[in-house]
Amino acid sequence: MSNPTTLEKFKNRIQKFAFHADGNDNQNKNPQASIQAPTHFSSHSQRRLSKAVINSPVDVTVRKKLQPYIVPRKSRSLLKKQKLQGKKRDGNNIVDTEDLSMMPLVPDVIGHDLDVLFCGINPGVASSAAGHHFAKANNKFYPCLVESGLTNGVKVTFQDDVRFPRDFNLGITNVVNRVTRSSQDLTRDEMIDRIPNLIEKVQKYRPKYLCFIGKCVFDAFMIHHDRNPNIKKYGLQDITILWGTGDQEDHATKVFSIMSTSGRVVLKPQERIDLFKELKLLLNQDKLVKKKFTSIC
């Protein structure tokens, strides 16, 4: 006699439980009639057991008794969606959508006459919760900074952003202050409307370079200046922000663009690092030219 299949085994389990559910506790006739209903099945067992219930000869009342223990895959997905209704997942955390408007803003890390003022899109949930810029675990901003030499070989994390102006002459700001889970939750018009505020900030603090992190925020800047936003060119741009009178080179902030450092953006790591290194090289060249000019005078 061949061994019973898995489906037959489950049918036997259901029929034994059905016998017990009907109140037939005569153990002399069926010593296994008192087997209790299982209190837990693995997800794989649930699927197999669901099929067994559908194909089994047990009546409807027994199926209802088994319902707490057997949840088909589609039903489990639906229950999970209902449970998370009004909530979204950010990394390993589930956050209520209504709470986003109440989440704290991330303050600018800024100072006068910086070498570079990095400009992100807007703070995410992780950054808002931490109170620091680019705080999400999979963000590549700080590893790229360290690799490029902009921190002079000092290893930094998001917790070190507050000392950037003092220790590295770097700053960080955002175009939009509103906290969202993704930049896709912002409209292009909302970003464009905030560009004049960014320009005022640049004219006040006068950094040597304004470096956009993310193409969508750089596109908003280009549209504000009536430029074509569809040109995918990263690196140094042919546009500057004037903040004084006299020679344009000495009274203007140069514009640099880097693709998003978010972990969601799939790129070769070296592509980002090369752009950060290019920015570092431009800074070194500017300092060298200024030093030669000073020595000649």
Side-chain angles (χ1 to χ4, degrees):
M1 184 176 179
S2 60
N3 294 329
T5 63
T6 304
L7 183 60
E8 290 174 349
K9 290 180 181 179
F10 275 106
K11 283 185 178 180
N12 292 336
R13 290 180 66 183
I14 294 168
Q15 289 172 349
K16 291 173 185 178
F17 177 62
F19 186 84
H20 176 66
D22 289 338
N24 298 326
D25 291 329
N26 190 348
Q27 297 186 9
N28 294 328
K29 295 181 180 180
N30 191 343
Q32 294 181 339
S34 59
I35 296 177
Q36 299 296 319
T39 58
H40 174 72
F41 289 118
S42 66
S43 59
H44 181 62
S45 298
Q46 284 176 346
R47 292 195 294 273
R48 293 191 296 172
L49 188 55
S50 299
K51 294 179 182 178
V53 170
I54 293 171
N55 298 324
S56 68
V58 298
D59 58 19
V60 177
T61 57
V62 174
R63 293 186 189 185
K64 288 182 178 179
K65 290 179 180 293
L66 287 171
Q67 190 62 35
Y69 312 107
I70 305 167
V71 184
R73 178 182 292 180
K74 291 184 178 179
S75 300
R76 292 197 302 273
S77 301
L78 181 61
L79 290 172
K80 187 175 181 180
K81 288 180 180 178
Q82 291 174 348
K83 184 178 179 182
L84 297 178
Q85 190 173 9
K87 302 179 180 180
K88 288 188 177 180
R89 184 176 293 277
D90 182 75
N92 294 325
N93 302 318
I94 297 174
V95 185
D96 291 334
T97 54
E98 296 113 6
D99 293 341
L100 287 182
S101 60
M102 303 299 295
M103 296 194 73
L105 304 180
V106 181
D108 290 341
V109 177
I110 200 166
H112 290 278
D113 303 317
L114 297 172
D115 286 339
V116 184
L117 176 61
F118 291 99
C119 181
I121 302 167
N122 74 306
V125 174
S127 295
S128 176
H132 298 276
H133 295 273
F134 303 106
K136 198 165 184 178
N138 64 350
N139 198 290
K140 309 301 181 185
F141 178 76
Y142 296 100
C144 288
L145 274 183
V146 175
E147 185 72 18
S148 66
L150 285 166
T151 60
N152 303 321
V154 179
K155 188 174 181 179
V156 294
T157 66
F158 67 89
Q159 295 175 326
D160 301 305
D161 63 354
V162 292
R163 64 188 185 96
F164 273 22
R166 182 187 71 247
D167 294 348
F168 311 115
N169 210 26
L170 305 174
I172 308 175
T173 186
N174 290 298
V175 169
V176 180
N177 293 327
R178 185 167 67 89
V179 179
T180 63
R181 288 186 179 80
S182 170
S183 60
Q184 296 177 354
D185 297 331
L186 300 174
T187 64
R188 175 174 283 186
D189 290 340
E190 185 176 2
M191 287 185 277
I192 294 173
D193 291 343
R194 300 296 298 176
I195 294 298
N197 296 50
L198 175 65
I199 294 174
E200 289 180 9
K201 196 178 296 183
V202 170
Q203 291 172 339
K204 177 181 177 181
Y205 290 98
R206 303 181 176 185
K208 295 180 179 64
Y209 286 87
L210 174 65
C211 180
F212 289 102
I213 305 294
K215 186 178 185 302
C216 62
V217 69
F218 176 65
D219 287 348
F221 177 80
M222 295 294 280
I223 292 173
H224 180 268
H225 287 81
D226 298 324
R227 298 290 191 94
N228 184 4
N230 297 321
I231 300 175
K232 292 187 177 180
K233 178 191 174 186
Y234 296 112
L236 184 64
Q237 306 299 316
D238 60 352
I239 188 171
T240 57
I241 302 174
L242 296 174
W243 39 259
T245 59
D247 184 37
Q248 182 176 348
E249 188 73 20
D250 295 333
H251 298 84
T253 294
K254 299 176 184 178
V255 177
F256 198 90
S257 175
I258 296 177
M259 71 278 291
S260 173
T261 57
S262 171
R264 297 177 181 177
V265 180
V266 181
L267 289 170
K268 294 180 180 179
Q270 195 61 37
E271 292 182 29
R272 292 193 189 97
I273 295 173
D274 288 344
L275 285 170
F276 277 88
K277 286 183 176 180
E278 181 183 341
L279 180 58
K280 172 64 174 176
L281 182 62
L282 289 171
L283 284 171
N284 291 341
Q285 290 175 352
D286 291 347
K287 291 177 181 178
L288 184 62
V289 169
K290 187 176 180 180
K291 185 177 181 181
K292 286 182 178 180
F293 179 78
T294 305
S295 62
I296 292 173
C297 294

